[in-house]
Amino acid sequence: MRLLVLLALILVPGWAMGQEEIGNVAEGHAFARDVCAQCHAVERGEAASPDERAAPFIQVASTPGLTPMALFAWLQTSHPNMPALLLDEDEMRDVTAYILSLRTPR
Ligand code: HEC
């Protein structure tokens, strides 16, 4: 885990910036709809994911202690039931910004 954290720090300079500076929320939303929505519920009002093993993003967003860094680390590693998604840095920032934006009440 320490290695992942380090990796995230190296690959994602500026991760510690304010939430709104992480990435572009609207771009991230569009990207999530295109790429992640195949398995995850990506919309704010969507309670159930198409793939029941994939957590709805609203639920991911409300995980206590979730940080942009944790999301970056997740998105850069592979997972048993989720394809390795090879996002470029902008995509990663945008989709992370979008997920974290679900936290704030509208
Ligand atoms: C092909 C299906 C699929 C796609 C596409 C997919 N995911 Fe997943 N995702 C999963 C599954 C299944 C899990 C549950 C963990 C596991 O078993 O690997 C998961 C878990 C996660 C988690 C961890 C959730 C938790 O409970 O902590 C995050 C964050 C995540 N996905 C983000 C994304 C993002 C962002 C995208 C789009 C860029 C995406 N996923 C695209 C299937 C998918």
Side-chain angles (χ1 to χ4, degrees), residues 31-40 42 51-57 59-61 63 66 70-71 74-75 78-83 85 87 91-92 95-96 99:
F31 183 80
R33 253 192 243 132
D34 278 357
V35 179
C36 321
Q38 190 191 327
C39 304
H40 290 270
V42 303
D51 181 333
E52 61 185 18
R53 295 165 308 178
F57 280 4
Q59 189 184 311
V60 175
T63 306
L66 182 79
L71 275 174
W74 170 272
L75 292 174
S78 52
H79 307 282
N81 299 306
M82 179 170 146
L85 287 159
L87 309 190
E91 293 166 340
M92 206 164 61
V95 84
T96 296
I99 292 175

